[in-house]
Amino acid sequence: MRSFMVALRTSLFLMILCGLLYPLATTAVAQALFHKQAEGSLVIQNEKVQGSELLAQGFKGPEWFHPRASAAKYDPTASAATNAAVASNEYVKTVKDNVNQLKKGNGNIGHTIPSDLVTTSGSGFDPDLSPEAAKAQVPRIAKALSVSENRLQGLINEHTKGRSFGVFGEPRVNVLELNMALQQLK
């Protein structure tokens, strides 16, 4: 009986420490030091939440920059990759379908198609595109909005972020921020 009581007290202590006090402490520190990130890195415009810097969302229509394809159909509760092997028939068919859809929607996109326009990211929610992938969509958007391609190219250049710390990753463009800037052009 004594061993049972020691085990029960230890379990209760650890449940309170690890299940209540530690989460409350880490939440308090996150809110104090990294408030924007702790709240989901929300993008707010005119006092209205437009989305998150960290999650891709689908934009439909020829007048918008389109993000990477999402295996989860941009549903944040269903984060998922395709898990299809690069050499599998399923993967090859999906990429071919994406290439055909891209050519159909963008007209003459050229011989070199940026891979991030026709493949999904690991999480299915990558909010960024390569500058090349954004620039490949310029002719379609320029035509839909009657805006010069040079103005759209400049918009992409303004919103291109370099490598993190000058070393990590690749240059990228956040699609939500780019589309918000595009909305102000209208």
Side-chain angles (χ1 to χ4, degrees):
M1 184 68 170
R2 183 168 183 256
S3 296
F4 175 75
M5 292 307 290
V6 170
L8 182 63
R9 280 193 300 256
T10 303
S11 294
L12 286 173
F13 172 76
L14 289 174
M15 280 192 285
I16 291 169
L17 178 68
C18 298
L20 184 64
L21 297 178
Y22 178 75
L24 287 174
T26 56
T27 300
V29 169
Q31 287 290 339
L33 299 178
F34 308 103
H35 182 72
K36 182 177 180 186
Q37 293 87 341
E39 292 296 319
S41 297
L42 299 177
V43 176
I44 300 171
Q45 184 179 47
N46 299 327
E47 298 181 20
K48 184 179 176 197
V49 175
Q50 301 295 317
S52 171
E53 293 175 2
L54 306 175
L55 293 174
Q57 50 194 56
F59 287 92
K60 297 184 191 247
E63 71 276 13
W64 300 108
F65 285 97
H66 298 164
R68 289 185 79 160
S70 171
K73 307 293 184 231
Y74 308 105
D75 177 2
T77 63
S79 177
T82 61
N83 290 333
V86 176
S88 73
N89 291 335
E90 176 189 354
Y91 182 83
V92 171
K93 181 186 180 314
T94 300
V95 171
K96 281 183 181 178
D97 289 346
N98 289 346
V99 167
N100 290 334
Q101 185 177 5
L102 185 68
K103 285 181 178 179
K104 179 181 168 187
N106 288 284
N108 184 13
I109 198 164
H111 297 294
T112 305
I113 296 174
S115 63
D116 51 335
L117 281 180
V118 293
T119 59
T120 60
S121 66
S123 68
F125 294 112
D126 189 353
D128 301 321
L129 283 177
S130 66
E132 295 77 23
K135 289 175 182 176
Q137 299 179 62
V138 164
R140 169 182 45 84
I141 298 166
K143 182 178 176 186
L145 294 178
S146 298
V147 175
S148 78
E149 289 189 17
N150 287 339
R151 179 65 184 116
L152 294 174
Q153 298 276 3
L155 202 62
I156 292 168
N157 292 338
E158 289 172 27
H159 287 85
T160 297
K161 298 174 186 166
R163 298 172 188 264
S164 299
F165 305 110
V167 178
F168 301 111
E170 294 295 323
R172 64 209 178 279
V173 181
N174 185 287
V175 177
L176 175 61
E177 291 173 2
L178 191 57
N179 280 333
M180 287 173 57
L182 188 63
Q183 191 173 22
Q184 292 180 353
L185 284 181
K186 291 181 177 182

